[in-house]
Amino acid sequence: MSKRDTADGVVVIGLGRFGGQVAESLTELGHEVLGIDEDAEIVQKLSDVLTHVVQADSTDEEALRQIGVAEFSRAVVGIGTDIEASVLTVLALTELGVQEIWAKAISAKHGRILERVGARHVVFPESDMGVRVAHLVTGQLLDFIELDDGYAIAKVCPPDDLIGKTLTELGLRSKHGITVVAVKRAGKEAETALPDTVIEHGDTLIVSGPTKKVEQLGERQGFPR
């Protein structure tokens, strides 16, 4: 994988129910994914699904270095039940200079240990939360919840083409099916969005609508004309 790919890529280590869902969701969102697992059967199963998938011992810093993990700035550690492997993997990633590490924890104590060895984000997920974490780890959305198949609600920073316009002028609901539910300004409580609400730099929008449209808004590129 080239350095150009890793700029937008994510390493996902531990491809069980949670890690596998994160990895597949990231791939569906168009990101380069390097999946790593010790289990050869899991690696084989996901070889046609993920961008790249490798069988390796994630607690071995040198092994991770050899497969290019140090080139990545973001990683998700989906190892849960093997606490020692989880902690040693986060430590190895930290030593390799990976800046943003998301790690799954199975208890509060486990989570505290992960934070101490370098995990910046600790999650306590149910198996179906992988999609949400995939959105958050890429920085596309500040928060994301899929309420039903094909429909979602999210917190998002508005792309530049929305700034300085009222919701009426933007017509997001009529044109794209996106409803701005509320607007939160820095240092203030969120307020219900009104037709004459003007979107400003630094605002956080709480929006709802079709999942694909919400994701598109979160890409900071606005909608196609």
Side-chain angles (χ1 to χ4, degrees):
M1 187 180 292
S2 68
K3 288 188 177 181
R4 181 189 63 185
D5 293 335
T6 61
D8 193 43
V10 182
V11 179
V12 180
I13 300 175
L15 302 172
R17 292 175 64 189
F18 171 73
Q21 179 66 74
V22 171
E24 289 188 43
S25 296
L26 286 167
T27 300
E28 290 172 2
L29 289 167
H31 296 276
E32 296 289 332
V33 174
L34 171 59
I36 301 172
D37 200 285
E38 268 195 311
D39 190 318
E41 186 175 340
I42 290 177
V43 169
Q44 180 62 35
K45 180 181 177 181
L46 293 175
S47 61
D48 294 330
V49 178
L50 304 182
T51 318
H52 306 275
V53 60
V54 179
Q55 182 183 4
D57 177 3
S58 62
T59 67
D60 185 337
E61 181 182 334
E62 186 55 34
L64 296 182
R65 188 188 306 278
Q66 289 180 6
I67 59 179
V69 171
E71 300 295 325
F72 290 80
S73 61
R74 296 174 294 184
V76 177
V77 179
I79 303 169
T81 54
D82 189 340
I83 294 178
E84 182 180 2
S86 167
V87 172
L88 290 177
T89 296
V90 170
L91 183 59
L93 291 170
T94 302
E95 292 296 321
L96 288 172
V98 179
Q99 297 171 0
E100 292 289 328
I101 302 172
W102 297 69
K104 173 185 175 180
I106 59 173
S107 68
K109 185 176 181 180
H110 183 197
R112 288 195 295 272
I113 294 171
L114 291 172
E115 288 176 339
R116 287 174 184 173
V117 297
R120 292 200 180 183
H121 313 275
V122 175
V123 292
F124 301 86
E126 297 294 338
S127 61
D128 62 352
M129 289 297 285
V131 173
R132 177 174 179 265
V133 174
H135 284 81
L136 302 185
V137 76
T138 59
Q140 290 182 313
L141 301 167
L142 304 178
D143 203 353
F144 175 89
I145 300 174
E146 192 156 20
L147 302 176
D148 202 351
D149 187 27
Y151 192 86
I153 186 167
K155 289 168 65 178
V156 58
C157 294
D160 290 341
D161 58 350
L162 270 60
I163 303 300
K165 300 176 182 177
T166 67
L167 294 179
T168 297
E169 291 173 327
L170 292 169
L172 294 179
R173 187 170 184 176
S174 60
K175 295 177 182 177
H176 306 290
I178 290 288
T179 298
V180 179
V181 179
V183 177
K184 185 180 186 308
R185 303 237 149 94
K188 298 182 180 180
E189 296 292 326
E191 297 183 355
T192 301
L194 301 173
D196 61 353
T197 296
V198 177
I199 306 302
E200 300 176 359
H201 283 290
D203 284 352
T204 298
L205 308 183
I206 301 171
V207 304
S208 63
T211 301
K212 294 297 182 184
K213 292 294 185 180
V214 171
E215 291 172 349
Q216 193 174 44
L217 181 61
E219 290 173 357
R220 311 288 199 270
Q221 297 174 354
F223 294 99
R225 302 293 179 186

